[in-house]
Amino acid sequence: MLKFFSSKKSNEDFEHIHIDMDNIPKHIAIIMDGNGRWAKERKLPRTMGHKAGVETIRDIVKECSNLGVKYLTLYAFSTENWRRPNEEVNALMNLLVQYLRKEFKELNDNNVVINHIGDISKLPVLCQQELLEAYNNTKDNSGLVLNLALNYGGRDELIRAFKTICKDIKDGKISEENINEKMVSDYLYTVNMPDPDLIIRPSGEQRISNFLLWQCAYSEFWYSNIKWPDFKVEHLHKAIHDYQSRDRRFGNVK
Ligand code: IPE
Ligand code: IPE
Ligand code: MG
């Protein structure tokens, strides 16, 4: 089934985009980038950019949920983002707590599971508590699974997996001969989730920045110069529309 969406290009010009509702990506992952530059353009402090970025999250989560996307992974804080000035890191952590408190009801009403991936044990205790509470109160919901990637790094995730695999071999739980792709996937934060079909990165950067390194093996990438606070539902529609026109061969021939 095709669904048509129109978005305003200018005062008189509308662009119509169609989305095939039978080919919605199961898992969309977004590198929410460009908050700092968005703020700089407006001569505002970087933290104002992060605040504006949270507004975008609300609309995008809602639309993914409406479209029937099953998993949405949002890269919110990388293992490398600790290198930023303390004030910025603190502001990001506070925004996370505010976001969870403010949005909990609506997310829960929309049947969303509020999940997280990454090593949250390094986050401030309050953030950890809010994340665990949000997860525990929504884990039985049957709608969209929202993965907030926090203190997430693809390399860190793989190192943790390697260590646990080695330990499980030593403990006789698994044997070396049985290691395969499925088993490695089962040792990652994204256990039981499909790999991302579509990875979106706004802000003009075209790099993976340590995001979902194992899982992105056959993901489709979609880049845009739009900065995350300016990213709108129509950009999501465009990304999904473009995704649907791609030929995913997975190494095979047609
Ligand atoms: C993304 O925006 C948010 C986080 C990384 C937490 P940035 O803060 O990276 O924004 P730019 O890239 O400096 O514009
Ligand atoms: C990636 O963005 C991390 C998040 C969006 C959370 P960065 O802004 O940290 O990435 P680089 O430094 O430009 O690669
Ligand atoms: Mg950035």
Side-chain angles (χ1 to χ4, degrees), residues 26-172:
K26 268 200 193 69
H27 185 169
I28 296 180
I30 306 181
I31 302 173
M32 305 186 290
D33 199 15
N35 295 349
R37 279 163 285 167
W38 181 93
K40 197 172 173 208
E41 280 167 7
R42 287 160 182 76
K43 304 203 166 31
L44 295 168
R46 290 179 58 84
T47 49
M48 292 305 285
H50 297 312
K51 216 169 160 194
V54 177
E55 301 300 314
T56 302
I57 297 179
R58 178 180 304 122
D59 296 342
I60 299 305
V61 172
K62 207 165 175 184
E63 186 60 8
C64 282
S65 191
N66 289 341
L67 290 169
V69 173
K70 190 61 201 145
Y71 298 90
L72 173 66
T73 302
L74 298 179
Y75 204 5
F77 195 87
S78 74
T79 45
E80 287 73 38
N81 287 148
W82 296 108
R83 294 172 184 161
R84 296 185 178 202
N86 269 338
E87 308 86 77
E88 183 170 345
V89 170
N90 291 340
L92 284 164
M93 297 300 156
N94 287 333
L95 277 171
L96 169 65
V97 171
Q98 280 174 33
Y99 170 76
L100 292 169
R101 288 184 180 169
K102 205 165 152 207
E103 300 300 318
F104 176 82
K105 190 176 178 308
E106 190 174 339
L107 290 169
N108 193 33
D109 288 348
N110 282 318
N111 215 5
V112 172
V113 179
I114 308 172
N115 191 34
H116 51 266
I117 61 170
D119 179 9
I120 66 158
S121 72
K122 303 285 183 325
L123 301 186
V125 178
L126 186 61
C127 294
Q128 296 180 44
Q129 283 169 349
E130 293 286 335
L131 284 164
L132 293 173
E133 200 179 311
Y135 175 70
N136 285 326
N137 289 319
T138 57
K139 65 177 188 303
D140 297 324
N141 288 346
S142 57
L144 174 83
V145 177
L146 171 63
N147 288 320
L148 299 171
L150 292 157
N151 190 25
Y152 174 88
R155 288 186 168 179
D156 180 63
E157 180 181 40
L158 285 166
I159 290 169
R160 293 160 66 88
F162 299 152
K163 285 184 177 166
T164 321
I165 290 172
C166 289
K167 187 172 177 301
D168 286 353
I169 292 175
K170 242 198 261 161
D171 293 348

